[in-house]
Amino acid sequence: MTTMLASAPGVHDVAAPHVADVTAPGVADRTVPLSPAPVSASPAIAPPSHESAAPCVADAMTAAVDALANVPRDLTLYRSLGDDALLELTRVASDEVRLAQLHVSLLSGEIARRSAVELGSDGLAQRTGHRTADELVRVTTGTRAADARTAVRVGIAMASAVSSGEFDGGGASTSTLAGAADASPAIGAAVLDGRVSVAVADAVRLGLGTPSPALTAEMLDAAAEQLLARVAGLDADRAGREARAMRDDLDLLGLPEREESRRAQRSFRLGRRPDGMGYAHWVLDPETFAIVSDVYDRVTSPKRTLPSFDDEPDSAAGAVDDDRTPEQRASDTFAELLRHGVAADTSQLLGDGPIGVRVVVAGTALDARQGRGFFEGQTDAISIATVERVACSAGTVVLTVDGSAENAGQPLNLGRERRLFSRAQRIALAARDGGCRWPGCERPPSWCEAHHIDHWQRDGGRTDVADGILLCRHHHLLAHNNGWEIRRDGPRYLLVPPDHPSGAVREMPTRSRALGDALRA
């Protein structure tokens, strides 16, 4: 089924500020720096000679390791910390990790430079018995292959920042390095000066992708510079999603090619473990993942039998007497589906009707046959050709949304005669919200319940789409049991913590990128 959204003005999200220094109570009342000082080469100082560089770097790193080794490890000290001190020192510890990863990447980039392909057997990796720089870094650091590749990629990006003039320190040219053509000086500079971690930098680089005829390396580097300011406080997974979204915005015509590239990476293989158990490793393209995840979510969702959308989330209705773990239920269900094949009555296994996938797309994009769509609950875009193919087999449902600035994006509503949200309303909420709208939550619509922002019993709340919002089971319980409130301000929804000043109010942005497309049309 394809849900189309009509046009209206656009919406924007806001990045949270970053705190630089705090005082951690309970830790000798001393200031604890949360962010390292910028790490950059001074333009007034010539690069050190080989003779002086090794002792300089080695002494600094050895001193850092010694300092960390002297940090107390007595568990009773950590248990005596106040809550604020515990959280702040956890952030300090993450800064230690960030700096250590930065240094590993710096060294890995230099290992890659000394192991350039054209050096052949004279390269550092080959001379030490390794095929590639990635392999040498992996063996030397004792990390996973993926971590070693990340260190090398970001190390090359930092080298490109030096070579491009982002930092003046006489850095070596990176033109001969594998991957140097795709390296972003802006990303390398952001890691060097401590703005982002190695993991976030690599996620942004991979998410933005490689240059294309429509998007030059210079344009990608400018996009990276703009994006880095927004993702500095995010984890690597979310930063990667932001980067992929920006790439789609900048290069919409290249979406079918990227979609096909992702599809080409699909694979499935079986293996046997030493204890006689077997395992499956399945890499799914986005469309297949949307179908399989729909099955998985139905099986593992806490509301897998009798969905509840009322404002009493601790009701026992629909509970299942099943002592299996969610993973065991999923394994049993997929085995049964395979065993019965096309003859299986999937409604008996999964409930809620046949397996399918819902696509959300702006109506203007579908009419013009230009733009993009999204599988419900996912953030990566799909081409209009894929949307049309799904619509051809499943049909379409047109959802018209309000285009006024005061109520932008709100679907048409119903009256108060219904306490529970109807199936049509739940489809509208899924298209508008894209999943749980609690800040930071990533549960898909299938895991969510419709919450009356004005409680049905307490406030006389209406069962209107505008007065409903999708929350996962955990956050639905949290809202009811812990006193959180949700307010609507025109098209925006605001989360108000219990007993907190108005300054602590947070916006609850939609996760539906298709809605943003519709409002910008």
Side-chain angles (χ1 to χ4, degrees):
M1 177 187 296
T2 304
T3 303
M4 295 180 291
L5 298 172
S7 61
V11 292
H12 306 279
D13 52 9
V14 181
H18 179 68
V19 180
D21 297 293
V22 302
T23 299
V27 191
D29 293 328
R30 68 195 191 98
T31 300
V32 180
L34 290 185
S35 298
V39 181
S40 60
S42 171
I45 302 175
S49 65
H50 289 294
E51 291 75 15
S52 62
C56 173
V57 174
D59 290 348
M61 286 191 175
T62 300
V65 171
D66 289 343
L68 286 177
N70 289 326
V71 174
R73 304 178 197 181
D74 184 353
L75 186 58
T76 58
L77 293 176
Y78 293 85
R79 288 180 174 173
S80 67
L81 296 172
D83 289 347
D84 291 340
L86 178 64
L87 294 176
E88 298 306 342
L89 288 180
T90 300
R91 296 187 183 101
V92 172
S94 72
D95 283 334
E96 295 171 355
V97 173
R98 187 201 303 223
L99 285 171
Q101 290 174 337
L102 187 158
H103 295 138
V104 170
S105 286
L106 277 171
L107 296 166
S108 298
E110 180 60 17
I111 288 174
R113 188 184 73 82
R114 300 186 188 191
S115 305
V117 174
E118 62 269 24
L119 296 177
S121 58
D122 291 331
L124 178 59
Q126 296 264 349
R127 283 190 287 110
T128 53
H130 302 283
R131 293 183 298 109
T132 64
D134 295 358
E135 183 180 287
L136 175 54
V137 170
R138 177 183 63 81
V139 173
T140 304
T141 59
T143 54
R144 299 179 307 164
D147 295 330
R149 287 193 294 270
T150 295
V152 169
R153 282 194 298 261
V154 176
I156 292 173
M158 286 190 281
S160 71
V162 175
S163 299
S164 69
E166 291 279 353
F167 284 85
D168 182 10
S173 171
T174 62
S175 60
T176 61
L177 291 177
D182 301 331
S184 166
I187 292 176
V191 179
L192 276 171
D193 65 19
R195 280 178 286 155
V196 297
S197 67
V198 168
V200 167
D202 195 50
V204 169
R205 176 194 175 279
L206 294 175
L208 287 176
T210 57
S212 69
L215 207 58
T216 65
E218 291 74 17
M219 294 168 66
L220 279 177
D221 198 49
E225 185 67 60
Q226 178 185 352
L227 183 63
L228 287 166
R230 287 168 35 197
V231 303
L234 299 181
D235 59 73
D237 290 340
R238 293 177 183 175
R241 283 195 290 274
E242 289 288 327
R244 292 195 299 274
M246 176 170 278
R247 176 63 188 246
D248 290 340
D249 290 339
L250 294 173
D251 187 19
L252 199 57
L253 294 178
L255 180 56
E257 181 180 346
R258 293 192 297 279
E259 187 179 31
E260 181 57 34
S261 175
R262 287 195 293 265
R263 177 171 167 75
Q265 298 174 46
R266 68 193 187 281
S267 66
F268 182 89
R269 60 185 176 85
L270 293 173
R272 188 181 301 277
R273 290 173 21 178
D275 61 358
M277 298 287 285
Y279 65 87
H281 184 269
W282 196 0
V283 178
L284 299 88
D285 60 88
E287 182 175 355
T288 305
F289 180 75
I291 296 171
V292 173
S293 64
D294 178 62
V295 178
Y296 183 83
D297 288 341
R298 293 196 204 184
V299 174
T300 60
S301 171
K303 58 188 194 68
R304 62 187 180 278
T305 54
L306 185 60
S308 171
F309 291 88
D310 61 21
D311 59 351
E312 297 175 358
D314 46 17
S315 169
V320 177
D321 184 12
D322 189 344
D323 59 1
R324 293 176 297 174
T325 66
E327 292 80 7
Q328 289 171 333
R329 286 198 304 271
S331 177
D332 293 346
T333 299
F334 279 108
E336 285 299 308
L337 287 173
L338 290 171
R339 187 175 293 119
H340 291 287
V342 294
D345 181 0
T346 58
S347 65
Q348 295 299 312
L349 283 172
L350 306 171
D352 289 344
I355 301 303
V357 57
R358 184 173 291 132
V359 175
V360 186
V361 60
T364 51
L366 194 57
D367 291 341
R369 302 191 71 187
Q370 291 183 344
R372 60 190 175 183
F374 302 88
F375 289 117
E376 184 181 273
Q378 297 191 33
T379 57
D380 288 316
I382 59 174
S383 65
I384 290 297
T386 298
V387 173
E388 290 178 331
R389 175 169 53 77
V390 173
C392 181
S393 60
T396 62
V397 173
V398 178
L399 171 65
T400 303
V401 295
D402 195 333
S404 66
E406 297 77 16
N407 211 33
Q410 292 294 355
L412 297 180
N413 55 26
L414 301 177
R416 182 174 161 77
E417 65 271 18
R418 294 180 60 95
R419 174 179 177 177
L420 302 182
F421 287 87
S422 69
R423 178 175 175 82
Q425 286 176 309
R426 294 198 299 271
I427 291 175
L429 286 169
R432 185 198 69 188
D433 296 345
C436 179
R437 286 184 68 156
W438 197 282
C441 186
E442 299 184 354
R443 293 298 191 192
S446 59
W447 277 67
C448 294
E449 301 172 347
H451 170 67
H452 294 86
I453 62 173
D454 294 321
H455 294 205
W456 175 273
Q457 293 287 0
R458 188 193 68 189
D459 304 321
R462 296 166 58 87
T463 306
D464 295 342
V465 172
D467 291 325
I469 191 169
L470 288 187
L471 297 177
C472 69
R473 179 78 168 176
H474 169 73
H475 288 121
H476 199 181
L477 283 166
L478 195 65
H480 279 274
N481 297 343
N482 290 32
W484 293 77
E485 297 287 341
I486 298 174
R487 299 175 186 166
R488 183 162 72 91
D489 178 20
R492 301 190 308 154
Y493 291 88
L494 305 175
L495 181 64
V496 184
D499 303 323
H500 274 65
S502 59
V505 171
R506 289 184 287 170
E507 187 163 357
M508 305 176 74
T510 176
R511 293 179 53 214
S512 174
R513 292 179 57 203
L515 177 63
D517 286 350
L519 295 177
R520 287 191 294 268

